[in-house]
Amino acid sequence: MSKINPDFSTELKKYGAINFNACYNCGNCTAVCSLSDEDNSFPRSMIRFSVLGLESEIQSSVIPWLCYYCGECSETCPKQANPGELMMSLRRWLTTKYDWTGLSGLLYKFIQLSIIAFILTAVGVIVFSVYENFKLENIMHYGHLFEMLAIGAVFSLILIPNIIRMWWFIILKPKVKVPIVYYFKGIWDLIVHMFTQKRTLGCDDNQFRWFEHFILVGGYLALLFTTIVLDWFGTENLFIIVLGYVESGIIFIVTFDFVLSRMKKKKEISKFSQPSDWFFVIWLFLLGFTAFVVRVFIDTNLLENNIWIYLFHLIILVQWALIIVPFGKWTHFLYRSFAMYFEKLQKDIKISP
Amino acid sequence: MEKTIDYIKKKRTVSEEVKEKRKEFARIKKLILKTLETEPKTIPQIAKETQLPSDVVTFNLMTLRKYGEVIAGDIDDMDEYFFYKLK
Amino acid sequence: MRNKIGVYICHCGSNIADYVDVEKLKEIVAKEEGVVLAKTTMFACADSTQKEIVQDIQEKNLDAIVIASCSPKLHLFTFRNIAIRAGLNPYNYIQVNIREQCSWAHSDTPKQATEKAISLVLAGIERAKHSKALTTLKISSVNTVAVVGAGVAGMRAAIELADMGTQVFLIEREYFVGGRSSQWNKLFTTDETGQEIVAKLYKKIITYNNITLFTGAEIVSKSGSVGDFDIKVKINPRYIKPGCKLDWAKFEKAVEVCPVEFDDPFNFGLTKQKAIYKNYPSEFPEIPAIDYDKCNKCGECVKVYEDIDLNQKPETININTGAVLLTTGFDPYEPEKGEFAFDEIDNVITLQKFKRLIELNEKELIYRNRKIRNIAYIYCVGSRQLDGENKYCSRYCCTSAIHTAILVKNKYSDINNFHFNRGIRTYGKQEVLYTESSEIGDIFLQSFEDSPPVVEKQGKDTIVKINDILTCGKELEVVADLVVLVTGMVPRKINTIADVLKVPIGRDKFFNEIHPKLRPVETVIDGVLIAGSCQAPLNITESVKSALSAASKANSLISKGEIELEPTLAKIDETICEWCDKCSEICPYDAIIKTKHGGKIIAVVNETSCKGCGMCLPVCPVNAIQLIGYTDVEIESMIEALI
Amino acid sequence: MPEQKSGYDVLVIGGGIAGEEAALNLANIGYKVILVEKDISIGGKMIHLSKVFPTLDCAACITTPKVSETARHPNISIFTNSEVKDIEKNSEKNFTATLVEKPRYVTEDCTGCQICEEKCPVVVNDQYQWDLVGRKAVYIPFSIANPRIAVIDIENCILCGLCEKVCPANAIDFTQEEKQTEIKIKSIIIATGYDLFDPELMPRYGFGKYKNVVTSMQMERQLVPTRPYNAVLRPKDGKMPDNIAYVLCTGSRDETIGNPICSQVCCMYSVKQAQLLMGALPMADVTIYYIHVRAFGKGFCEFYQQSKGMGVEFIKGKVGTIKENENGNLVVRYEDIEEGKVKEAEHDLVVLSVGILANTDFTTMFKNIKIGQDNFNYVKQTDELTNPAKTTIEGVFVAGTASGPMDIPDSILSAGAASAETASYLRRTNNEK
Amino acid sequence: MTENKGSKILVFSTEKISDPAIDLAGLLKMHYPPTVYTINIPCSSAVKSRWIMHAFNKGFDGVFIAADGTDCAFDESCTDNTAKVISRTHELMKEKGIEPARLKMAAICSVCAEPFVKQMKSFAEYLSKS
């Protein structure tokens, strides 16, 4: 027995959902979705739960993460109820539900708070630089240190607890009994999905979108590795330097295309943009671009006299690491892979008696 | 008696497409009628023998039936396809 | 018996002549007794041939002609006109179809086609021999229509008829006009209120000299037939002096002093009513009324309102009318006790009552001292019943409920609407309302056919539960402050007019038309028409359409002063008939009447009602009935000629 | 100066069931009516239907008597193959318009013998059988056409002159030209009917590409005794289908194709066709995919229940996509709403229950006045509740589906209303007694 | 009298419904036995047993009622009433020793040309065998 909560619609609209109440439950969206199957039929099921406000049903579901937003459903929806954007909004909403700090919810819903957070972090970096008397070497040293610390902290304090919460919502709370071995069996899928997002390929005819996304993820992870472990800004190794250029180049070129398509609004996926979507692509673009420029300045020995460029990069980096990665859209990357993983667990149980 | 066709011939020209359509129909008609000379056949059988797409056979065969050149006979054992024969 | 028959055989170019040996045909028929002329012709329908035939008829003094050519469906009227032009009765013209039913059908066997053609033409000649000169029957009619029921449909029909020049008697059972529509607020699609529409129509009606309105009036008997009905109308007194003006203050006082109080039917019991009343201030006619059945004649009101006259008596008047148009409307379905907790839980009400409630609550929606926030609408109450008698869909309720829900949401703050439906049927442009209500957040839940939603009390709360189709059958529940039963339309409970006029009733108990497509507003009783929701559930636009349709049908029927009837009629031989009731029983038009004739009881055909179908012919045990044009001699001589 | 025709009271534009009904009503009252039909015969779409719901009487049996009554009514002049343009309102009750009579190239001497048709060597798609079969360039539109006079499709004619040679009535006349006449009328009824949705606009249903995906109109023709095939067959390969699917709301209630409203008839005609199919193909399974079954009119709900009793399967869920198999069978993908699961099902014939769209021809007919359109492109009714036939122009009325989707009984009633409003308008403005 | 010419069939058709169908059969150049003769009447339920018996007496081999069925423009009781006439006539035929199967009825709609032709062919075939 579930109680209906009509107020949930209003809540969800703050996460970017548009007009999904118009749904008359024809099921067209589910039928045209190439990722939807008998076990997980969506997006209509999620629209229905959202209209009725059955929060716990949504919270315990992995379905929002199974959607890669090809936009076919929204394009063909007879009521123009934007099922694709609803799924996107549900992912945002779920992100905030998984987040134990509650910060991401605030940042999603109130753009003012996001802007304040961005300003605060920027001010923090500048204050720190003032404190360090704008000495490039020190700042770069702490910058590098920050990268490592931030990753560690964000992961251990925010992301891992959040994933545990997600696990609790999806597996523990609904009392799905999963034998331990299944967790190990599924790991490979987790990794594959995390790094390849191969399901997108089933999504639409546009293989290019998957490819773009794939090299972006690859480039991003590799740049992370190159800057943190291989100390790109500090190294003299030509191979690493070139590698870093390629990686950061990939990031800003691909994200530039993303920004462009969001502005053109031609494709269904880029028709609606929530602030968090803009932040994500723009910061990623800036991240790649400033890293690229910083290294160019290093190679041309201009950085000493143009420390501002590194500071700018650092501000972006700090904002990225402290705001977007733990509380923003970046987490999708993680949650989606885990959702896939949990879905596999659910399926495995169904198959074995 | 004078024929009015001569009057309109002076005013109109017939498009190539229309001429082509007429030839095409004549060709298909000949093919279909020829295959039916031996024995009654179903549409898939006619299509196979004439090398025409089956929907083209259906359309033209039914047109021939409409104008009385072909008639429908019995249905096959599977109750799927009718046999058509010359009238 | 005709014996100067002319026969024309048409070649129809080559259509007939190619298969039928027309020359041989001509030779054979020329020898036939009674045939004085036999010709072949290239095209019988050609102008020159037509002239020739006219000439022949006049010169040879022909008393019947037979043309053997194409189907009579094509040229019967062409050739009948030839006869008329030549001064021959058109029914002395016989067409024999030797094209569609001979030369074409038997083009594979020309010899036999010729033989068949000979037989057919001979049969035609036989028929011509026995053919009678018929004249179309004309009965006079008064250009008057009695419209029964002054709801929107009735008023609209009255105006239209009056505009077309017909005298109208508009007869309303209630003391006020407007019917159900005046109970409704804003209407889809124009957003006018029901009361505005009623006012608009009433104000128009009183400008017409040729509309007479009776309120508190009912038809109590009818005699006569189409064109000339005599109806008796009983009019209950209003107890208000005729011609007086409404004095609102005095009227209010009279209401105050009136000791008779009962649940107001207009507001479905939401308020109380006195014996002297108006349902709403701007109701028409302006003057109030005192309910004849309820008033105890205590005289209190007379003391404060001198325009009251309790000495008025009911009167009966006679009206002569050409046609009767019924626009008597519907009743809302009244749920049974316990149907979705109706009458058991106190916050369960019908849609119609809910609509009144909205109108009576200006600022806040309050029912039984409780502020309403969550409203559950349960659809198809009394319609599409699985077990009950009403199998039909009431058509207007989905739209009406959704329209009301939107209205409620816009009028009051903080309203949640939950629609427990069985598949929304907002057909046509009404779909936009469904979209609108969804978009503003109304929630639609659909129940399975065999498991309707359940309304029950849980502690203080009223809960509505459903297994929702749209959520894969999941059980869902809503705590409702108010449960609105979306009740459909049923025929009028008090429906005396049906008995008086003997209007046919359909399977759904609504009045039945002859044919929904051919004759959608006519009944089998000639001159009695139906329109609006007395015929089937309809919304206002649809009712008005059918009312206007009926108006034009009625007008074209009676406005010419006479009604022409086809001469193909049944005739009963009074010498043979021994009244057995079989023919009158089978007649769908009630055209056979039991009559005393020359000392014995016989059946007589009412020529104004008979349609000439012939259904009565075969049932007569003594073969007393003949259908003109299809008499035994005609048919049997044709049979003999054919063989 | 074009020729003039006057003395008419009403111009009825459109000779479908609504136009006929309106014309007959007015003619019976005594008004002179000019009825103009774009097509080469009158009867509109109804005359082509099989049986009609919910009474299952045959459409032709109802239409043809009305058609012939209209055709021979002394107060009605019919112009087929003709159009109206440049309607001008000059003053109260004074309209002029141009009547354009297209050449038929066949005179009224035609006896309908079809010898020309037999001989004509050209075959093109037969529009009256919705392209399922061919017709000749000279042809009688359909067997029960009125007038039953041949017509030459000059665009597809190869000018061989054979028809003229063989015509026994000498009715072929290639010298005919388009004729324009100015007509004077006092009032106008627009009864231009509706258009059907073109499912090629929904590529995911594969209409046009997959030959076994047909429209409901094509199925309607297959169910009529004057049908294009000898039985109900698949257009792709002539197989007798035994598993037929109906896709409801094709082109209705769908904002993506610009028609957000319900077409009001598709549910019922599909239910009806399903019943007829069960009669024509007793072994066949029929499945109807629906969103809501709109069985709202008199006797409709009972009819719907009856079809369930006969074994027609109803599945709640709009079909998302249709794909073709090698054997010509079609796989429909849909969400079974009751179960909440996406499913695929194979059918050997799919019928798209196409919706009704406004026929917007009326918008271009007027010259010095503009006629209002509603949000869905139909003729705007300015006083829908009490004067349903009234339009934005005084003296111009609307009948039938020109004002919105409706079924046959509703169209007939609407035409009745239009005729009543026209009659009273004429009388009012005439100041007749 | 009827030797080698096929069985003679009298058809009672109705003006509005079944007669147009019989016309249509000719229009479509569909062939049925030329020994089929049609007399039309307003409604199929108007056929008198007497006429049918007269036809048999005069030498017709079969009588066919092309009934209005549910399309009847007069009344929906048409189908029932026609059926009753048939069954009464069947009784009379039995009395006279005429095989009841020689009187047949089927609903023929106004465009039912093909069903009509089929009916005629099979009826004629049946009659020629019996």
Side-chain angles (χ1 to χ4, degrees), chain C residues 146-148 171 217-222 230-234 319 324 326 496-497 500-501:
Chain C
V147 178
V148 186
I171 301 163
E218 254 186 301
I219 294 184
V220 287
S221 76
K222 174 213 92 170
D230 282 311
I231 53 174
K232 276 194 169 53
V233 180
K234 184 185 165 222
I319 291 174
V324 181
L326 301 180
T496 38
I497 189 80
V500 174
L501 298 181

Side-chain angles (χ1 to χ4, degrees), chain D residues 129-312:
Chain D
Q129 302 283 14
W130 295 84
D131 301 342
L132 291 173
V133 71
R135 64 150 168 84
K136 299 296 181 69
V138 57
Y139 64 106
I140 295 267
F142 48 94
S143 48
I144 51 173
N146 190 316
R148 227 187 96 81
I149 294 177
V151 61
I152 291 172
D153 170 5
I154 203 76
E155 295 303 322
N156 286 302
C157 175
I158 56 162
L159 307 182
C160 66
L162 259 180
C163 48
E164 193 172 10
K165 236 176 256 168
V166 298
C167 178
N170 280 328
I172 309 281
D173 178 7
F174 281 105
T175 63
Q176 287 185 355
E177 310 265 356
E178 184 179 287
K179 198 168 129 197
Q180 299 208 357
T181 320
E182 193 183 89
I183 48 174
K184 282 181 173 295
I185 55 260
K186 296 174 183 161
S187 61
I188 297 170
I189 292 178
I190 302 176
T192 45
Y194 62 91
D195 280 342
L196 282 169
F197 173 70
D198 173 11
E200 284 198 39
L201 297 174
M202 285 174 86
R204 63 185 197 276
Y205 287 167
F207 179 78
K209 193 164 80 179
Y210 309 142
K211 298 290 174 200
N212 289 336
V213 177
V214 298
T215 67
S216 40
M217 211 48 168
Q218 290 177 320
M219 181 50 90
E220 199 70 39
R221 290 307 304 160
Q222 290 226 32
L223 289 165
V224 178
T226 51
R227 60 200 168 197
Y229 303 161
N230 51 307
V232 177
L233 300 175
R234 308 205 301 183
K236 191 185 168 96
D237 55 5
K239 178 175 173 271
M240 206 147 81
D242 55 17
N243 187 355
I244 301 155
Y246 275 82
V247 179
L248 293 190
C249 293
T250 306
S252 308
R253 305 177 72 192
D254 188 342
E255 291 181 22
T256 62
I257 52 96
N259 185 28
I261 60 174
C262 158
S263 292
Q264 210 159 314
V265 292
C266 328
C267 285
M268 288 310 290
Y269 74 57
S270 303
V271 167
K272 170 205 77 186
Q273 289 189 1
Q275 288 202 11
L276 297 179
L277 277 169
M278 297 245 154
L281 309 166
M283 302 304 286
D285 296 322
V286 183
T287 310
I288 295 182
Y289 296 93
Y290 69 97
I291 306 175
H292 298 105
V293 176
R294 290 190 162 163
F296 55 84
K298 190 167 185 169
F300 291 9
C301 211
E302 295 87 331
F303 190 70
Y304 163 49
Q305 293 300 340
Q306 180 183 315
S307 69
K308 279 188 179 171
M310 290 168 77
V312 178

Side-chain angles (χ1 to χ4, degrees), chain D residues 32-77:
Chain D
K32 296 273 178 215
V33 181
I34 172 167
L35 178 72
V36 179
E37 168 58 50
K38 186 172 69 173
D39 207 342
I40 45 188
S41 63
I42 57 171
K45 293 203 180 62
M46 183 183 171
I47 203 166
H48 300 288
L49 304 180
S50 55
K51 300 192 170 196
V52 278
F53 61 83
T55 38
L56 282 188
D57 31 35
C58 96
C61 302
I62 294 167
T63 330
T64 41
K66 267 213 169 117
V67 164
S68 45
E69 202 185 333
T70 313
R72 64 161 192 266
H73 202 293
N75 287 345
I76 304 177
S77 315

Side-chain angles (χ1 to χ4, degrees), chain C residues 199-326:
Chain C
K200 187 171 90 182
L201 294 177
Y202 178 80
K203 283 176 185 160
K204 198 156 184 201
I205 278 181
I206 53 174
T207 65
Y208 285 88
N209 297 327
N210 53 350
I211 301 179
T212 317
L213 171 70
F214 300 106
T215 54
E218 254 186 301
I219 294 184
V220 287
S221 76
K222 174 213 92 170
S223 60
S225 55
V226 60
D228 183 26
F229 287 111
D230 282 311
I231 53 174
K232 276 194 169 53
V233 180
K234 184 185 165 222
I235 307 170
N236 279 337
R238 205 181 181 95
Y239 293 140
I240 308 286
K241 286 176 190 160
C244 71
K245 279 246 166 0
L246 169 68
D247 184 330
W248 189 259
K250 284 181 182 167
F251 162 61
E252 276 194 325
K253 248 196 204 113
V255 172
E256 211 179 292
V257 299
C258 178
V260 184
E261 191 180 71
F262 50 94
D263 278 352
D264 182 355
F266 187 80
N267 287 329
F268 301 97
L270 288 167
T271 55
K272 294 286 177 196
Q273 187 193 316
K274 297 290 183 70
I276 178 165
Y277 72 107
K278 276 191 81 167
N279 289 311
Y280 57 97
S282 60
E283 194 166 29
F284 293 105
E286 288 92 338
I287 50 166
I290 294 174
D291 193 311
Y292 174 73
D293 297 319
K294 291 274 167 46
C295 175
N296 62 5
K297 302 208 175 142
C298 68
E300 286 299 317
C301 53
V302 188
K303 293 176 194 160
V304 296
Y305 194 3
E306 65 277 9
D307 285 341
I308 294 172
D309 174 10
L310 291 178
N311 296 321
Q312 289 177 0
K313 294 274 173 296
E315 52 175 334
T316 306
I317 57 163
N318 294 319
I319 291 174
N320 181 238
T321 184
V324 181
L325 169 56
L326 301 180

